[in-house]
Amino acid sequence: MSVKTREDFTQRIEAIEKGYEYILAYAAQGRDSDGEGGSASSAIRDHLQEMEKALEGLGGVAVSTIGHYSAELAEASRAFLDALEADAGKAQGAIRLVLAQPGISSQLIDNLNASIHVRALLTDLFVIDEALKKLL
């Protein structure tokens, strides 16, 4: 693994965590819509798009990153990495559904925040990130 792969993985985790923090705040605002009618950019859409982009191919980047340390570690992590890939795909699908809406309400974002798929993804990322910190 190159330093670039580890940096890519770290940047993806940061984009997802930053987006999640933003959508938590947005959910509390009580908005009926993001006011953009779905055609233009809004801050909530920008954050969701960054999260969606970070989720693209996340499983492969995680495998490359962890596989760098050892084949044994990659093999021991296989089931967990498969779960990460599945959780990333489900969360990405939910985000795409929200982005396809003509207006994004705080209630819709609150429901996205509560999604078990988004929460599972975040927990997966916290576990991997913390495990990799111990290896560096």
Side-chain angles (χ1 to χ4, degrees), residues 37-115:
S39 61
S41 180
S42 68
I44 188 64
R45 288 181 189 279
D46 292 344
H47 280 87
L48 290 170
Q49 288 167 346
E50 286 298 316
M51 289 176 73
E52 193 274 333
K53 180 180 171 186
L55 290 167
E56 190 66 41
L58 182 66
V61 174
V63 168
S64 295
T65 301
I66 291 177
H68 166 72
Y69 294 101
S70 75
E72 295 83 23
L73 181 59
E75 186 57 35
S77 304
R78 173 51 54 198
F80 183 74
L81 294 172
D82 289 346
L84 167 68
E85 188 167 357
D87 292 340
K90 292 171 186 175
Q92 188 178 44
I95 290 168
R96 287 176 176 165
L97 174 66
V98 171
L99 284 168
Q101 302 309 304
I104 300 176
S105 68
S106 291
Q107 183 62 47
L108 180 56
I109 292 299
D110 192 41
N111 290 330
L112 178 65
N113 290 339
S115 167

